[in-house]
Short mmCIF file of all heavy atoms in Angstrom, two decimals:
data_model
loop_
_atom_site.label_atom_id
_atom_site.label_comp_id
_atom_site.label_asym_id
_atom_site.label_seq_id
_atom_site.Cartn_x
_atom_site.Cartn_y
_atom_site.Cartn_z
N LEU A 158 103.33 168.83 -12.83
CA LEU A 158 103.05 167.69 -11.96
C LEU A 158 101.85 166.91 -12.47
O LEU A 158 101.86 165.67 -12.52
CB LEU A 158 102.79 168.20 -10.54
CG LEU A 158 102.38 167.15 -9.50
CD1 LEU A 158 103.52 166.17 -9.26
CD2 LEU A 158 101.98 167.83 -8.19
N LEU A 159 100.79 167.60 -12.86
CA LEU A 159 99.59 166.94 -13.34
C LEU A 159 99.82 166.25 -14.68
O LEU A 159 99.37 165.12 -14.90
CB LEU A 159 98.45 167.95 -13.46
CG LEU A 159 97.92 168.51 -12.13
CD1 LEU A 159 97.08 169.74 -12.37
CD2 LEU A 159 97.13 167.46 -11.39
N MET A 160 100.55 166.92 -15.58
CA MET A 160 100.79 166.34 -16.90
C MET A 160 101.70 165.12 -16.83
O MET A 160 101.60 164.21 -17.66
CB MET A 160 101.39 167.40 -17.83
CG MET A 160 100.42 168.50 -18.22
SD MET A 160 101.17 169.78 -19.27
CE MET A 160 101.35 168.89 -20.84
N LYS A 161 102.59 165.09 -15.83
CA LYS A 161 103.48 163.94 -15.67
C LYS A 161 102.72 162.69 -15.24
O LYS A 161 103.17 161.57 -15.50
CB LYS A 161 104.56 164.24 -14.63
CG LYS A 161 105.67 165.16 -15.10
CD LYS A 161 106.69 165.37 -13.97
CE LYS A 161 107.82 166.27 -14.40
NZ LYS A 161 108.81 166.47 -13.31
N LYS A 162 101.59 162.87 -14.57
CA LYS A 162 100.87 161.72 -14.02
C LYS A 162 99.40 161.79 -14.41
O LYS A 162 98.53 162.04 -13.58
CB LYS A 162 101.02 161.68 -12.50
CG LYS A 162 102.48 161.50 -12.07
CD LYS A 162 102.61 161.26 -10.59
CE LYS A 162 104.06 160.99 -10.22
NZ LYS A 162 104.23 160.70 -8.78
N PRO A 163 99.12 161.59 -15.73
CA PRO A 163 97.73 161.65 -16.19
C PRO A 163 96.86 160.62 -15.49
O PRO A 163 97.32 159.53 -15.16
CB PRO A 163 97.85 161.36 -17.69
CG PRO A 163 99.16 160.67 -17.85
CD PRO A 163 100.06 161.23 -16.80
N GLU A 164 95.62 161.03 -15.23
CA GLU A 164 94.59 160.23 -14.58
C GLU A 164 94.75 160.17 -13.05
O GLU A 164 93.82 159.75 -12.36
CB GLU A 164 94.52 158.79 -15.14
CG GLU A 164 94.26 158.70 -16.63
CD GLU A 164 92.87 159.18 -17.02
OE1 GLU A 164 92.01 159.30 -16.13
OE2 GLU A 164 92.64 159.45 -18.22
N GLN A 165 95.88 160.57 -12.51
CA GLN A 165 96.05 160.55 -11.06
C GLN A 165 95.39 161.77 -10.45
O GLN A 165 95.62 162.90 -10.89
CB GLN A 165 97.52 160.52 -10.66
CG GLN A 165 97.73 160.52 -9.14
CD GLN A 165 99.18 160.31 -8.75
OE1 GLN A 165 99.95 159.72 -9.50
NE2 GLN A 165 99.57 160.79 -7.58
N VAL A 166 94.55 161.55 -9.46
CA VAL A 166 93.85 162.65 -8.80
C VAL A 166 94.72 163.17 -7.66
O VAL A 166 95.17 162.41 -6.80
CB VAL A 166 92.49 162.19 -8.25
CG1 VAL A 166 91.79 163.35 -7.54
CG2 VAL A 166 91.61 161.66 -9.38
N PHE A 167 94.96 164.49 -7.66
CA PHE A 167 95.72 165.13 -6.60
C PHE A 167 94.75 165.97 -5.75
O PHE A 167 94.05 166.83 -6.29
CB PHE A 167 96.80 166.04 -7.17
CG PHE A 167 97.96 165.30 -7.79
CD1 PHE A 167 97.92 164.94 -9.13
CD2 PHE A 167 99.07 164.97 -7.04
CE1 PHE A 167 98.98 164.27 -9.71
CE2 PHE A 167 100.14 164.29 -7.62
CZ PHE A 167 100.09 163.94 -8.95
N SER A 168 94.73 165.72 -4.46
CA SER A 168 93.92 166.55 -3.58
C SER A 168 94.59 167.91 -3.40
O SER A 168 95.76 168.09 -3.72
CB SER A 168 93.77 165.88 -2.20
OG SER A 168 95.02 165.85 -1.53
N ARG A 169 93.84 168.86 -2.90
CA ARG A 169 94.42 170.18 -2.64
C ARG A 169 95.56 170.07 -1.64
O ARG A 169 96.58 170.76 -1.78
CB ARG A 169 93.34 171.13 -2.13
CG ARG A 169 92.32 171.52 -3.21
CD ARG A 169 91.12 172.23 -2.62
NE ARG A 169 90.19 172.65 -3.66
CZ ARG A 169 89.28 171.83 -4.21
NH1 ARG A 169 89.22 170.56 -3.83
NH2 ARG A 169 88.47 172.27 -5.15
N GLU A 170 95.38 169.22 -0.63
CA GLU A 170 96.43 169.04 0.38
C GLU A 170 97.71 168.49 -0.26
O GLU A 170 98.83 168.94 0.07
CB GLU A 170 95.94 168.10 1.48
CG GLU A 170 94.83 168.68 2.36
CD GLU A 170 93.47 168.67 1.66
OE1 GLU A 170 93.32 167.95 0.65
OE2 GLU A 170 92.57 169.40 2.12
N GLN A 171 97.57 167.52 -1.16
CA GLN A 171 98.75 166.96 -1.83
C GLN A 171 99.45 168.02 -2.67
O GLN A 171 100.68 168.11 -2.68
CB GLN A 171 98.34 165.79 -2.71
CG GLN A 171 98.03 164.51 -1.96
CD GLN A 171 97.55 163.43 -2.90
OE1 GLN A 171 96.63 163.61 -3.69
NE2 GLN A 171 98.20 162.28 -2.83
N LEU A 172 98.68 168.83 -3.39
CA LEU A 172 99.27 169.87 -4.23
C LEU A 172 100.00 170.91 -3.39
O LEU A 172 101.08 171.37 -3.77
CB LEU A 172 98.19 170.53 -5.08
CG LEU A 172 97.60 169.65 -6.20
CD1 LEU A 172 96.38 170.31 -6.83
CD2 LEU A 172 98.66 169.35 -7.26
N ILE A 173 99.43 171.25 -2.25
CA ILE A 173 100.10 172.21 -1.36
C ILE A 173 101.44 171.64 -0.90
O ILE A 173 102.47 172.32 -0.95
CB ILE A 173 99.20 172.53 -0.14
CG1 ILE A 173 98.00 173.39 -0.59
CG2 ILE A 173 100.01 173.26 0.94
CD1 ILE A 173 96.95 173.57 0.49
N GLU A 174 101.44 170.37 -0.48
CA GLU A 174 102.66 169.77 0.04
C GLU A 174 103.72 169.61 -1.05
O GLU A 174 104.91 169.81 -0.81
CB GLU A 174 102.34 168.42 0.68
CG GLU A 174 101.52 168.56 1.95
CD GLU A 174 100.98 167.25 2.46
OE1 GLU A 174 101.26 166.21 1.82
OE2 GLU A 174 100.27 167.24 3.48
N LEU A 175 103.28 169.24 -2.27
CA LEU A 175 104.23 168.98 -3.35
C LEU A 175 104.73 170.25 -4.02
O LEU A 175 105.87 170.30 -4.50
CB LEU A 175 103.57 168.07 -4.40
CG LEU A 175 103.28 166.64 -3.94
CD1 LEU A 175 102.39 165.92 -4.96
CD2 LEU A 175 104.57 165.87 -3.71
N ILE A 176 103.91 171.29 -4.07
CA ILE A 176 104.28 172.53 -4.77
C ILE A 176 104.84 173.57 -3.81
O ILE A 176 105.87 174.20 -4.08
CB ILE A 176 103.07 173.12 -5.52
CG1 ILE A 176 102.48 172.09 -6.50
CG2 ILE A 176 103.48 174.39 -6.26
CD1 ILE A 176 103.45 171.63 -7.57
N TRP A 177 104.19 173.76 -2.66
CA TRP A 177 104.61 174.81 -1.73
C TRP A 177 105.47 174.29 -0.58
O TRP A 177 106.22 175.03 0.01
CB TRP A 177 103.39 175.53 -1.16
CG TRP A 177 102.79 176.53 -2.09
CD1 TRP A 177 103.11 177.85 -2.21
CD2 TRP A 177 101.76 176.28 -3.06
NE1 TRP A 177 102.33 178.44 -3.18
CE2 TRP A 177 101.49 177.50 -3.72
CE3 TRP A 177 101.02 175.16 -3.43
CZ2 TRP A 177 100.54 177.62 -4.73
CZ3 TRP A 177 100.08 175.27 -4.43
CH2 TRP A 177 99.84 176.49 -5.08
N GLY A 178 105.32 173.01 -0.26
CA GLY A 178 106.11 172.45 0.82
C GLY A 178 105.26 172.02 2.00
O GLY A 178 104.17 172.57 2.26
N TYR A 179 105.76 171.02 2.71
CA TYR A 179 105.01 170.37 3.78
C TYR A 179 104.63 171.35 4.90
O TYR A 179 103.56 171.23 5.50
CB TYR A 179 105.85 169.22 4.35
CG TYR A 179 105.13 168.35 5.35
CD1 TYR A 179 104.12 167.49 4.96
CD2 TYR A 179 105.48 168.40 6.71
CE1 TYR A 179 103.47 166.69 5.88
CE2 TYR A 179 104.84 167.60 7.63
CZ TYR A 179 103.83 166.75 7.21
OH TYR A 179 103.18 165.96 8.12
N HIS A 180 105.48 172.31 5.20
CA HIS A 180 105.24 173.19 6.35
C HIS A 180 104.70 174.56 5.93
O HIS A 180 104.73 175.50 6.73
CB HIS A 180 106.54 173.37 7.14
CG HIS A 180 107.05 172.10 7.75
ND1 HIS A 180 106.40 171.43 8.74
CD2 HIS A 180 108.16 171.35 7.45
CE1 HIS A 180 107.08 170.35 9.07
NE2 HIS A 180 108.15 170.27 8.30
N SER A 181 104.21 174.69 4.72
CA SER A 181 103.69 175.98 4.26
C SER A 181 102.33 176.25 4.91
O SER A 181 101.65 175.36 5.40
CB SER A 181 103.55 175.98 2.74
OG SER A 181 102.54 175.07 2.34
N ASN A 182 101.95 177.52 4.90
CA ASN A 182 100.66 177.93 5.47
C ASN A 182 99.61 178.18 4.39
O ASN A 182 98.62 178.86 4.62
CB ASN A 182 100.85 179.20 6.32
CG ASN A 182 101.72 178.95 7.54
OD1 ASN A 182 101.60 177.92 8.20
ND2 ASN A 182 102.61 179.89 7.83
N ILE A 183 99.85 177.64 3.20
CA ILE A 183 98.93 177.84 2.07
C ILE A 183 97.62 177.09 2.33
O ILE A 183 97.60 176.00 2.90
CB ILE A 183 99.59 177.33 0.77
CG1 ILE A 183 100.86 178.11 0.47
CG2 ILE A 183 98.61 177.43 -0.40
CD1 ILE A 183 100.65 179.58 0.26
N GLU A 184 96.51 177.69 1.90
CA GLU A 184 95.20 177.07 2.06
C GLU A 184 94.67 176.59 0.70
O GLU A 184 95.20 176.96 -0.35
CB GLU A 184 94.22 178.06 2.69
CG GLU A 184 94.62 178.50 4.09
CD GLU A 184 93.63 179.48 4.69
OE1 GLU A 184 92.71 179.93 3.95
OE2 GLU A 184 93.76 179.79 5.88
N GLY A 185 93.62 175.80 0.75
CA GLY A 185 93.05 175.21 -0.46
C GLY A 185 92.60 176.24 -1.47
O GLY A 185 92.70 176.01 -2.68
N ARG A 186 92.12 177.39 -1.01
CA ARG A 186 91.65 178.39 -1.96
C ARG A 186 92.78 178.97 -2.80
O ARG A 186 92.55 179.44 -3.91
CB ARG A 186 90.90 179.50 -1.23
CG ARG A 186 91.68 180.25 -0.17
CD ARG A 186 90.87 181.42 0.35
NE ARG A 186 91.58 182.13 1.41
CZ ARG A 186 91.21 182.10 2.69
NH1 ARG A 186 90.17 181.39 3.06
NH2 ARG A 186 91.88 182.79 3.59
N THR A 187 94.01 178.92 -2.26
CA THR A 187 95.17 179.36 -3.05
C THR A 187 95.41 178.40 -4.21
O THR A 187 95.73 178.82 -5.32
CB THR A 187 96.43 179.43 -2.17
OG1 THR A 187 96.20 180.36 -1.10
CG2 THR A 187 97.64 179.88 -2.98
N VAL A 188 95.25 177.11 -3.95
CA VAL A 188 95.35 176.12 -5.03
C VAL A 188 94.30 176.39 -6.10
O VAL A 188 94.59 176.41 -7.29
CB VAL A 188 95.19 174.69 -4.48
CG1 VAL A 188 95.16 173.67 -5.62
CG2 VAL A 188 96.31 174.36 -3.51
N ASP A 189 93.06 176.62 -5.66
CA ASP A 189 91.97 176.88 -6.60
C ASP A 189 92.25 178.12 -7.44
O ASP A 189 91.96 178.15 -8.64
CB ASP A 189 90.64 177.05 -5.86
CG ASP A 189 90.22 175.79 -5.11
OD1 ASP A 189 90.67 174.69 -5.53
OD2 ASP A 189 89.46 175.89 -4.15
N SER A 190 92.83 179.15 -6.82
CA SER A 190 93.16 180.37 -7.54
C SER A 190 94.22 180.10 -8.61
O SER A 190 94.11 180.60 -9.74
CB SER A 190 93.67 181.43 -6.56
OG SER A 190 94.10 182.59 -7.23
N HIS A 191 95.23 179.31 -8.28
CA HIS A 191 96.25 178.96 -9.26
C HIS A 191 95.67 178.13 -10.40
O HIS A 191 96.04 178.33 -11.56
CB HIS A 191 97.39 178.18 -8.58
CG HIS A 191 98.39 179.05 -7.89
ND1 HIS A 191 98.09 179.79 -6.78
CD2 HIS A 191 99.70 179.31 -8.17
CE1 HIS A 191 99.17 180.46 -6.39
NE2 HIS A 191 100.15 180.19 -7.22
N VAL A 192 94.76 177.25 -10.08
CA VAL A 192 94.11 176.44 -11.12
C VAL A 192 93.34 177.33 -12.07
O VAL A 192 93.41 177.17 -13.31
CB VAL A 192 93.17 175.39 -10.48
CG1 VAL A 192 92.28 174.75 -11.54
CG2 VAL A 192 93.98 174.32 -9.76
#
Side-chain angles (χ1 to χ4, degrees):
L158 176 65
L159 292 165
M160 290 178 72
K161 284 181 180 180
K162 298 188 176 182
E164 302 293 344
Q165 179 172 334
V166 179
F167 288 89
S168 68
R169 290 169 177 82
E170 292 76 17
Q171 285 177 307
L172 290 170
I173 289 171
E174 291 170 1
L175 292 169
I176 303 300
W177 282 270
Y179 187 71
H180 297 293
S181 67
N182 295 319
I183 299 299
E184 298 180 352
R186 59 173 177 250
T187 300
V188 174
D189 297 336
S190 175
H191 278 68
V192 168

